Every structure is written in structure tokens, then in C-alpha cells.
């Protein structure tokens, strides 16, 4: 049997399984007047996702997926969260209160299935693999549909060539279709936030430094960091690397001598630790941004594409203004 035929067989199986599942009643974010949704079919990172009824029991893996459902008022559908990248932002903290944390990292398939989910929403493709919470086809055969944030697709045919806000809005709409909720208000709010950003009035170069000491892992040209930097008017010193994230040499960083360094703050590698490393490294201690303390801090969870991308763009724009750059 060909790979295509196997996918078709898996698709038919999940459609049949989900068709036998009792339809969910309207939860938070859904209207009681809405009629039962028709079957939703989506090509998700090359995987044929079929959902016959709005999911009722969802496990979210990574902050981006949890926050997407919170932003759409779907917290009552979440039966477990996993692999959080940091605290939930203030605007969704109340909705997130009491959500059960399944694991600090990617849960095992056994732990996942113990919650009897009908849907898994993953921030990274690797979250739903044989090495993660379970292979998508295997989960599907057990009646558990799965969806991966499209910005995280890694196959060349499905990976965004260069992330745009339109891609994020498309994900919001797809999630709305799956859960049968209206997404127009959230998208309109995000569009207003992006439209309010005034790009810098001068050329300012920047390095988006996520992690790494022997060599820095940086935001390259195609992912969320690049989108945020383009929107605020920063010139990315790693723009010649056609990838979402990439390893860059300290020699290349020193040669670029960026005006500003965007530091990702994570519990496992804080912004303060990165600053000390930059100051102690002979290759970077003389950089203008290091000498003049021209650092901007971004939470790790906000560096991933999702509903935090638009508000984080505003945060970064305001932080640059606080450093004295004109807009």
C-alpha cells in the first residue's frame, strides 16, 4: 500500500470513529444557537486531518496552542496542558486558572491517552511523533485527532516560506472551524494591533538571540522573530539565513556588530545569563549593543508564532522607543 493510500485509510478510519462520537454541546466561545458543524477536513503539515464534531476533550502541548484556545474562550475544552514555555500572559491568566498540567515536557502517549482526549493541539510537529506524545496516525486510529500549528510545519512543501501575519490569522480561522467558534473578533483585534505599530524611522540592525553559548541560536529570516523584526522596522543581521531559527557563529555576530540585541528570556536560559555571557565573551564584549546595554527582552513563549505575536510586536516597538529610537 502506498503512503498516500495509507493516509486515505487513516482518514477514513478517523472519520468513521468521530462520526460515532456524541456531538459536543456549546462551550465557552461557542453559541448555543449554532447548528452542529459539518465535517472539517484540513491538510495540516501534509497530514489529512478530519474532524466530524467539535472536540470536547483537548490536550494542548506548548504555550502557543494553550493560549490560542484561551484567546478563543475555549478553556472549558482543555483537559490537560503540557510543555509550557512560560507563564500565561495576564490577559488570559484568569481563564487559565485551574487548567491541569499534564507534564513539564512532552507527555508520553500513555499519559496522554489516560486523559481520554479526542483532540491534541501541538505547537511543534515533533510533539506528536513516535518520540513524543504519539504518532499522528496511531493517535488517529485510537480516535484522537491532532493539529499542529502550521507555522511549525517542517517539511519543505508545507513550511511557511516566510511567515506573515496572514499565516497566523489562517491558523486562527482553522482552529475556529475545528471548534465551531467565531474568530472574527480575535482576528480584527490582532489586525488593529499590527496596524498600530509604527516602524522605526532609521535603520537599526538587530540580533535575535535565543540560546547557545558555544554558538548562538538566533532568529533567522522566515519565522516569527523575523516577522516581528520586519514589522517594527529592525534589520535582522541573520536575514541571509533562510530558516526560522539557525545557529550563527560568534565571529559572524561580531562582524555584524548589531545596534540592538533581542534577548529571549526562558527559565532554562534567562536574559540575565545571556547578558553575562555576552559581556564575558571576548568576541562579543566589544559590540556596541553590549557596551551600551542596548538589550530588549522577549519571553520565550512570545517568540513562537501564535496569538502573542501581534501584541509582542507592539511590546518590542515600545521597548525600542524606550531605548531612544524614533518611530
Amino acid at each position: 500500500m502506498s503512503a498516500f493510500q495509507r493516509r486515505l485509510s487513516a482518514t477514513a478510519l478517523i472519520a468513521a470513529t468521530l462520526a460515532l462520537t456524541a456531538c459536543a454541546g456549546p462551550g465557552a466561545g461557542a453559541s448555543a444557537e449554532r447548528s452542529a458543524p459539518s465535517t472539517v477536513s484540513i491538510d495540516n503539515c501534509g497530514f489529512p486531518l478530519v474532524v466530524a464534531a467539535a472536540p470536547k476533550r483537548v490536550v494542548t502541548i506548548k504555550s502557543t496552542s494553550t493560549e490560542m484556545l484561551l484567546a478563543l474562550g475555549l478553556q472549558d475544552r482543555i483537559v490537560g496542558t503540557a510543555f509550557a514555555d512560560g507563564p500565561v500572559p495576564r490577559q488570559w491568566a484568569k481563564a487559565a486558572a485551574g487548567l491541569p498540567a499534564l507534564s513539564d515536557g512532552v507527555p508520553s502517549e500513555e499519559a496522554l491517552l489516560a486523559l481520554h482526549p479526542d483532540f491534541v493541539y501541538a505547537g511543534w510537529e515533533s510533539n506528536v511523533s513516535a518520540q513524543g506524545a504519539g504518532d499522528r496516525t496511531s493517535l488517529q486510529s485510537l480516535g484522537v485527532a491532532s493539529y499542529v500549528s502550521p507555522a511549525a510545519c517542517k517539511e519543505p512543501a508545507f513550511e511557511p516560506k516566510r511567515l506573515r501575519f496572514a499565516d497566523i490569522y489562517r491558523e486562527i480561522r482553522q482552529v475556529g472551524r475545528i471548534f465551531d467558534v467565531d474568530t472574527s473578533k480575535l482576528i480584527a483585534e490582532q489586525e488593529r494591533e499590527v496596524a498600530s505599530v509604527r516602524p522605526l524611522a532609521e535603520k537599526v540592525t538587530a540580533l535575535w538571540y535565543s540560546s547557545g553559548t558555544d554558538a548562538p541560536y538566533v532568529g533567522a529570516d522566515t519565522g516569527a522573530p523575523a516577522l516581528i523584526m520586519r514589522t517594527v522596522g529592525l534589520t535582522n543581521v541573520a536575514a541571509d539565513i533562510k530558516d526560522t531559527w539557525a545557529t550563527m557563529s560568534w565571529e559572524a555576530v561580531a562582524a555584524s556588530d548589531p545596534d540592538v540585541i533581542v534577548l529571549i528570556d526562558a527559565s532554562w536560559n534567562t536574559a540575565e545569563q545571556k547578558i553575562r555571557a555576552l559581556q564575558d565573551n571576548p568576541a562579543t564584549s566589544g559590540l556596541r549593543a553590549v557596551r551600551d546595554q542596548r538589550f530588549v527582552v522577549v519571553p520565550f513563549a512570545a517568540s513562537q508564532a501564535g496569538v502573542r505575536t501581534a501584541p509582542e510586536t507592539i511590546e518590542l516597538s515600545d521597548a525600542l522607543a524606550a531605548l531612544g529610537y524614533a518611530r
Side-chain angles (χ1 to χ4, degrees), residues 16-66:
T17 301
L18 292 177
L20 295 174
T21 303
C23 292
S31 168
E33 287 73 32
R34 294 174 73 90
S35 59
S38 57
T39 298
V40 174
S41 300
I42 294 172
D43 186 321
N44 178 229
C45 295
F47 188 85
L49 169 63
V50 178
V51 180
K56 295 186 294 183
R57 297 183 60 82
V58 185
V59 172
T60 57
I61 306 177
K62 300 297 286 181
S63 293
T64 48
S65 56
T66 302

Side-chain angles (χ1 to χ4, degrees), residues 57 79 112-118 144:
R57 297 183 60 82
V79 296
L112 176 81
L113 294 176
L115 294 178
H116 306 291
D118 57 9
V144 184

Side-chain angles (χ1 to χ4, degrees), residues 3 36 51 119 121 145 164 188 234 255-256 274 282 287 294 296 312 317:
V51 180
F119 195 83
Y121 186 178
R164 306 163 299 160
L234 286 173
S256 69
K274 292 186 184 71
L287 295 178
R294 292 191 173 274
V296 177
E312 186 55 44
S317 179

